[in-house]
Amino acid sequence: MKTLTIGTIILKNRYIMAPLAGYTNKSLRKMALRNGASLAYTEMISCNALLYKNKKTFDMLPKEDEGGRIALQLFGGDIEVISKAIKIVEENAKFDFLDFNMGCPVLKVMKQFSGSYWLKRQDELKKLFHTLVSNSRHPVLIKTRIGYDENHKNVLDVIKIAAEEGVAGVAIHGRTKTQLYGGNVNYDIISEAKKMNLLPIIANGNISLNNISEVEKITNADGYMFGREALGHPTIFSNLILKEKGYPIIDDNIEQQTNFLIEHFNNLKKEFGIDTAISLIRGVGPFYFKGLQDASIYKSSIIKISSEKDFFDLMNQIKKLNK
Ligand SMILES: Cc1cc2nc3c(=O)[nH]c(=O)nc-3n(C[C@H](O)[C@H](O)[C@H](O)COP(=O)(O)O)c2cc1C
């Protein structure tokens, strides 16, 4: 099994759970790690909100062993605020890497000159990276895109500055900010980043069990990050491991997926309480049925549940129907 070394930490394999706001809470991270991911990212956490002592934001901080390595991701646009936020997470959270978000294209984040707006602030990156590295007791990662738009693809320059300032690794979503989450992923630029041989490179963007070999061939990246493909499919990680070892992959089946869904629900209930668990499972539940027979029926049922009883009745019904 190939490993991935970032800074002083050796990850047991190269397969990583991406940060997904609204999804990668502790409940999901634990499932990704238990099924083989070598690293799981938190959702993006606001530096401003940490300074305001926002309770919801503090609740997002990982605080206990989750069964594997964790990257805590911050976002912010003000370097002074960012340095204070790092001190807060160093004192209040348990994690292995500090990650900084330089890829989010959402308006709310861009308005704070943060997320992928940093790709437009190249002159300030030396100071930003210096601040991240000098304030963090953990190795620092950045997660970015190939550039702001088609005419401004500056990720290679960003990596040079990051390496000079002591950043330990970089995850690259192979799209520009203006592409948002669709359109072609440019794996060639990720390959160029790898050839610079400055930092460990984690490839990201539409990577799946089906195309991992091809993406690896093109990019030769050190690590591979999975977002939407891993939603509802924690076995993507165990299957990636099987595939690398030369064994056949194990297809998802309805019984296994129903059991995962129950595990996820129970985790969410423990993490957030029953009301939030119901609302979150309505959001993430449909992903568990993707690709399975009768998926559309199950998807339309799970989004309608309004109580714990509804949830377990549906799970029992699905199990009975598929016996
Ligand atoms: C719903 C959603 C939420 C996301 N939240 C974050 C986030 O909090 N931080 C971040 O760096 N990227 C975030 N991303 C981007 C993903 O981490 C990833 O870069 C992107 O989805 C491409 O990878 P994929 O094709 O494997 O999903 C988000 C993407 C989606 C679809």
Side-chain angles (χ1 to χ4, degrees):
M1 201 72 218
K2 287 189 183 158
T3 57
L4 165 55
T5 303
I6 304 177
T8 49
I9 297 176
I10 302 173
L11 298 177
K12 63 182 179 181
N13 64 52
R14 301 169 299 157
Y15 309 123
I16 295 168
M17 180 71 225
L20 296 171
Y23 296 101
T24 52
N25 41 44
K26 179 173 70 179
S27 300
L28 188 151
R29 293 194 299 268
K30 279 168 89 167
M31 291 177 70
L33 293 168
R34 189 171 72 68
N35 284 282
S38 62
L39 175 66
Y41 282 59
T42 65
E43 306 171 69
M44 58 179 178
I45 295 173
S46 161
C47 290
N48 278 330
L50 284 171
L51 259 66
Y52 284 123
K53 299 196 166 31
N54 179 290
K55 174 165 172 1
K56 259 198 173 158
T57 306
F58 266 77
D59 287 347
M60 290 168 79
L61 298 177
K63 296 191 186 71
E64 57 183 40
D65 182 8
E66 297 184 9
R69 301 285 190 178
I70 297 294
L72 186 156
Q73 186 184 71
L74 292 178
F75 76 96
D78 180 320
I79 292 180
E80 197 58 24
V81 171
I82 293 164
S83 76
K84 289 181 182 155
I86 295 173
K87 294 204 173 87
I88 294 175
V89 296
E90 287 289 353
E91 277 168 24
N92 292 280
K94 181 173 164 47
F95 56 101
D96 299 287
F97 297 95
L98 180 80
D99 180 78
F100 191 72
N101 181 321
M102 297 179 59
C104 183
V106 172
L107 189 63
K108 192 179 82 178
V109 171
M110 298 290 288
K111 276 203 308 215
Q112 301 176 31
F113 309 108
S114 65
S116 52
Y117 201 93
W118 278 106
L119 290 165
K120 282 193 165 205
R121 299 175 67 182
Q122 195 175 311
D123 290 350
E124 296 167 84
L125 290 183
K126 190 175 161 62
K127 188 170 171 206
L128 170 70
F129 295 148
H130 177 78
T131 301
L132 295 172
V133 172
S134 59
N135 284 286
S136 172
R137 290 202 291 265
H138 296 85
V140 171
L141 301 171
I142 55 173
K143 180 166 176 289
T144 189
R145 290 176 176 250
I146 58 173
Y148 196 83
D149 59 31
E150 197 49 33
N151 299 319
H152 300 90
K153 291 189 232 158
N154 57 344
V155 69
L156 302 183
D157 293 328
V158 171
I159 291 171
K160 271 184 217 147
I161 304 166
E164 277 165 17
E165 294 305 321
V167 168
V170 53
I172 308 171
H173 177 187
R175 292 190 174 95
T176 61
K177 179 264 166 192
T178 49
Q179 281 183 287
L180 304 175
Y181 297 103
N184 281 347
V185 181
N186 189 332
Y187 297 118
D188 292 331
I189 297 195
I190 300 179
S191 154
E192 285 175 46
K194 169 64 187 165
K195 282 187 195 133
M196 286 162 68
N197 207 15
L198 291 175
L199 290 177
I201 301 293
I202 299 165
N204 171 241
N206 283 22
I207 311 180
S208 65
L209 265 174
N210 290 334
N211 70 5
I212 176 78
S213 309
E214 194 193 334
V215 174
E216 184 174 357
K217 216 192 254 164
I218 301 171
T219 63
N220 190 30
D222 301 285
Y224 298 87
M225 175 184 273
F226 301 82
R228 290 163 291 183
E229 277 291 312
L231 269 183
H233 295 271
T235 52
I236 192 172
F237 297 107
S238 47
N239 273 326
L240 285 159
I241 293 166
L242 286 176
K243 192 166 179 155
E244 184 173 328
K245 288 181 173 166
Y247 297 121
I249 62 166
I250 300 168
D251 286 334
D252 289 334
N253 64 65
I254 189 75
E255 192 186 348
Q256 166 205 288
Q257 289 301 94
T258 312
N259 287 336
F260 275 132
L261 195 41
I262 292 170
E263 179 183 347
H264 201 151
F265 179 81
N266 286 332
N267 284 355
L268 288 169
K269 186 176 156 191
K270 202 164 148 203
E271 185 175 356
F272 298 103
I274 187 65
D275 292 344
T276 306
I278 287 167
S279 130
L280 289 174
I281 210 73
R282 282 199 298 244
V284 74
F287 291 103
Y288 282 88
F289 300 117
K290 198 178 124 195
L292 295 177
Q293 212 185 344
D294 297 327
S296 58
I297 302 171
Y298 302 142
K299 282 181 187 172
S300 61
S301 306
I302 189 101
I303 59 172
K304 289 192 199 114
I305 61 147
S306 59
S307 67
E308 187 166 6
K309 182 175 178 310
D310 282 357
F311 174 76
F312 281 105
D313 284 351
L314 178 63
M315 294 302 104
N316 290 335
Q317 224 176 4
I318 294 174
K319 281 190 175 183
K320 247 191 223 155
L321 278 171
N322 289 281
K323 256 203 179 135

